[in-house]
């Protein structure tokens, strides 16, 4: 069976005709490991960087040939008229940082949009008041295997989509992120939020969720790192997320996949970056299209690029395209990101309420 795609998937979505310069606010691990490598691949120009830790900013600038290190945020703002601000700071810092950006600025905010729905609401309203053209970095939507899966679904390769399942069973080195060590919300807010956003991108707004997030005995000092989320889309659609980040028994039985099922086929994507993070393994995209009188056959779709770093081009490109054409809206703009945060909040509330008690006969 031949692939309806027939060629490698590009590592990027549609790029702007003319890329704007980027100023990086934050020089942490995600910037070093994903933002900067992605922008280099796309030939996006990062003209300056600011981080409260000036040595970290200087090291990033040296490693990625960024011409200027700003010593303060006001200095970065003053010197960066017309640039896109790539804000990659802990979510708790957003309400202090965003008011310092110029009114009407174009901004890409690293997820999540605050650490609670109340913070997300305040950030959304702040962006409205300042007329910020802001989007949130939900870059999983732009991973090559997701672009490929969406292409297959849109082409009718699996019929009508009715089910999305995401399962992650890996060993995640949470110690790499110092700001996550003392927070009250972890797994859903900083990891499964990607999957919540992805489900919304395919199925729209759920009626509600059932969820439970729990601690793992391997890291009792952390907030919960295991989660199950069941979406309510009525009787015709199904979406589920199951994650555990403490499977420290080698890769043989680790899992990291998304499965889409339709009325006449299925698609499975392996998210390789989560296996042996941050080294990762190869991403894989396969699909099966059932045809009358033909035995089901799985086909591997060639991919170009990976979730990390290539998908980070997509979110930045969408902000650049909006800057280029104000009639466009970034796919993950703050208004849409707020709806993802609402589902996150509902998942935490569901977890806290607890399960329906079993009737005693």
């Amino acid at each position: 069976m031949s692939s309806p795609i027939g060629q490698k998937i590009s590592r990027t979505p549609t790029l702007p005709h003319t890329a704007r310069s980027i100023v990086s606010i934050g020089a942490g691990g995600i910037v070093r490991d994903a933002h900067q490598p992605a922008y280099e691949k796309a030939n996006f120009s990062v003209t300056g960087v600011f981080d409260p830790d000036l040595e970290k900013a200087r090291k990033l600038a040296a490693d990625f040939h960024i011409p200027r290190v700003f010593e303060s945020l006001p200095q970065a703002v003053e010197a960066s008229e017309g640039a896109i601000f790539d804000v990659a700071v802990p979510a708790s810092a957003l309400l202090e940082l965003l008011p310092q950006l110029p009114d009407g600025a174009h901004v890409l905010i690293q997820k999540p949009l605050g650490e609670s729905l109340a913070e997300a609401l305040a950030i959304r309203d702040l962006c409205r008041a300042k007329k910020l053209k802001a989007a949130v970095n939900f870059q999983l939507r732009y991973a090559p295997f997701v672009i490929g899966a969406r292409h297959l679904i849109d082409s009718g390769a699996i019929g009508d989509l009715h089910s999305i399942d995401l399962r992650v069973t890996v060993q995640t080195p949470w110690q790499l992120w110092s700001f996550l060590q003392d927070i009250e919300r972890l797994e859903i807010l900083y990891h499964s939020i990607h999957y919540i956003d992805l489900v919304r991108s395919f199925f729209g707004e759920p009626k509600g969720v059932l969820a439970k997030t729990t601690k793992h005995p391997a890291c009792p000092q952390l907030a919960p790192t295991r989660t199950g989320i069941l979406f309510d889309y009525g009787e015709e659609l199904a979406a589920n997320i199951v994650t555990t980040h403490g499977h420290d028994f080698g890769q043989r039985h680790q899992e990291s996949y998304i499965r889409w099922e339709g009325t006449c086929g299925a698609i499975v994507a392996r998210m390789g970056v989560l296996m042996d993070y941050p080294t990762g393994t190869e991403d894989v995209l396969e699909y099966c299209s059932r045809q009358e009188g033909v035995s089901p056959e799985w086909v591997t779709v060639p991919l170009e690029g990976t979730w990390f770093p290539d998908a980070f081009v997509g979110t930045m490109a969408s902000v650049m395209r909006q800057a280029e054409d104000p009639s466009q809206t970034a796919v993950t703009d703050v208004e849409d990101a707020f709806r993802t945060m609402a589902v996150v909040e509902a998942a935490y509330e569901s977890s806290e309420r607890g399960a329906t008690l079993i009737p005693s006969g």
Side-chain angles (χ1 to χ4, degrees):
M1 185 189 304
S2 63
S3 167
I5 292 179
Q7 58 186 359
K8 286 189 175 182
I9 305 299
S10 171
R11 70 170 187 263
T12 64
T14 304
L15 297 178
H17 294 294
T18 303
R20 287 203 179 192
S21 62
I22 300 168
V23 171
S24 181
I25 308 299
I30 193 67
V31 177
R32 173 174 291 277
D33 295 339
H35 292 235
Q36 293 300 326
Y39 301 158
E40 280 192 344
K41 285 191 172 188
N43 292 318
F44 292 164
S45 175
V46 180
T47 56
V49 57
F50 166 71
D51 191 286
D53 185 336
L54 284 177
E55 285 306 311
K56 186 183 294 184
R58 291 185 181 115
K59 182 69 165 58
L60 185 80
D63 291 345
F64 290 94
H65 311 291
I66 300 171
R68 187 165 183 185
V69 175
F70 300 109
E71 296 188 359
S72 69
L73 182 57
Q75 184 186 64
V77 169
E78 183 179 356
S80 305
E81 183 177 356
I84 291 175
F85 292 95
D86 187 26
V87 177
V89 300
S92 59
L94 290 172
L95 280 171
E96 179 182 353
L97 186 152
L98 292 176
Q100 301 180 62
L101 299 184
D103 289 358
H106 294 271
V107 188
L108 180 60
I109 303 168
Q110 181 59 33
K111 59 82 188 166
L113 190 67
E115 294 191 326
S116 66
L117 188 62
E119 287 187 15
L121 178 62
I123 294 168
R124 186 199 67 181
D125 290 349
L126 173 63
C127 290
R128 287 177 176 178
K130 289 180 64 64
K131 295 181 169 52
L132 297 179
K133 308 300 188 298
V136 178
N137 206 344
F138 286 124
Q139 75 294 136
L140 179 57
R141 297 194 192 199
Y142 292 98
F145 50 81
V146 172
I147 295 174
R150 202 179 294 276
H151 183 107
L152 286 163
I153 292 164
D154 290 345
S155 73
I158 65 169
D160 295 330
L161 178 67
H162 60 71
S163 178
I164 303 175
D165 290 290
L166 298 103
R167 183 174 293 272
V168 173
T169 306
V170 297
Q171 171 62 18
T172 298
W174 296 111
Q175 70 275 7
L176 295 179
W177 302 279
S178 59
F179 70 95
L180 296 180
Q181 304 309 302
D182 300 317
I183 62 175
E184 295 182 0
R185 292 179 167 186
L186 203 168
E187 204 287 325
I188 301 175
L189 184 63
Y190 280 93
H191 187 86
S192 282
I193 189 172
H194 281 299
Y195 312 141
I196 290 171
D197 185 71
L198 189 71
V199 168
R200 285 188 57 252
S201 78
F202 281 95
F203 282 165
E205 306 305 329
K207 298 177 181 178
V209 292
L210 300 173
K212 187 63 181 177
T213 187
T214 59
K215 289 194 171 193
H216 195 287
C219 43
Q221 77 283 5
L222 295 177
T225 58
R226 298 180 294 189
T227 299
I229 302 174
L230 173 67
F231 293 76
D232 182 0
Y233 281 106
E235 300 301 315
E236 303 297 327
L237 303 177
N240 305 278
I241 298 169
V242 179
T243 67
T244 180
H245 294 266
H247 187 81
D248 192 16
F249 306 103
Q251 290 190 27
R252 180 169 180 173
H253 291 292
Q254 288 191 5
E255 301 171 294
S256 176
Y257 68 78
I258 309 169
R259 183 175 62 242
W260 297 262
E261 290 193 5
T263 52
C264 64
I267 304 167
V268 175
R270 184 177 73 188
M271 302 178 284
V273 69
L274 304 181
M275 315 278 282
D276 191 27
Y277 186 88
T279 303
T281 62
E282 184 182 13
D283 292 339
V284 177
L285 180 65
E286 300 174 291
Y287 78 98
C288 176
S289 185
R290 187 176 60 238
Q291 300 178 21
E292 187 175 351
V294 179
S295 298
E297 177 187 352
W298 284 91
V299 177
T300 299
V301 178
L303 294 173
E304 180 182 328
T306 60
W307 180 3
F308 280 50
D310 298 84
F312 287 71
V313 174
T315 41
M316 178 55 76
S318 72
V319 175
M320 288 186 177
R321 291 199 310 273
Q322 183 183 34
E324 193 171 66
D325 179 1
S327 68
Q328 293 195 33
T329 300
V331 173
T332 60
D333 73 349
V334 164
E335 301 293 333
D336 186 83
F338 177 78
R339 299 311 312 160
T340 290
M341 290 295 295
V343 181
V344 167
E345 190 71 22
Y348 278 112
E349 290 181 4
S350 176
S351 183
E352 291 172 5
R353 284 197 301 267
T356 301
L357 297 180
I358 307 300
S360 57

